[in-house]
Amino acid sequence: MDQITLGLASIFFLVNTGTFLGMALDKHRSRTSGAERIPEGLLFFWAAAFGSIGVWFGMLVFRHKTQKWYFTLGIPLLILENIVFLVSVSGWLERM
């Protein structure tokens, strides 16, 4: 594995770990009355910024946002988008 691919994989891992922890924090705050929640738009932004797998695992593990149709449909689509983009970028970088 070359250094660029290793760097991209490291960033991808860190972003997804952060989004997973963000889902855990929001689930915890959802159970606390009056707590400031993480906006759904920010969760989607994190997912679009290569954190979709972390959001998806957060949905499954914490059973959070699973009743929202736009999460159950949108997050898998963002996973697909993230994967296609990463494969395209890695293919482009290999040709350089």
Side-chain angles (χ1 to χ4, degrees):
M1 185 180 289
D2 65 4
Q3 290 207 358
I4 293 174
T5 305
L6 182 61
L8 286 174
S10 298
I11 291 169
F12 190 73
F13 176 77
L14 290 173
V15 168
N16 279 286
T17 301
T19 57
F20 179 79
L21 294 174
M23 289 292 282
L25 177 63
D26 192 53
K27 179 63 174 189
H28 173 72
R29 288 180 178 176
S30 72
R31 294 178 176 165
T32 305
S33 178
E36 186 176 340
R37 302 280 305 275
I38 298 172
E40 290 179 346
L42 184 57
L43 294 173
F44 265 100
F45 173 76
W46 289 344
F50 305 108
S52 56
I53 293 175
V55 172
W56 181 254
F57 280 126
M59 288 173 64
L60 297 177
V61 170
F62 305 115
R63 295 191 312 175
H64 189 49
K65 303 290 185 190
T66 56
Q67 298 297 312
K68 309 274 184 168
W69 68 268
Y70 42 90
F71 272 86
T72 58
L73 178 65
I75 298 304
L77 290 174
L78 284 172
I79 290 172
L80 180 63
E81 178 267 334
N82 288 178
I83 290 170
V84 167
F85 182 82
L86 288 173
V87 168
S88 299
V89 167
S90 66
W92 178 76
L93 290 173
E94 285 179 11
R95 288 190 298 269
M96 286 184 71

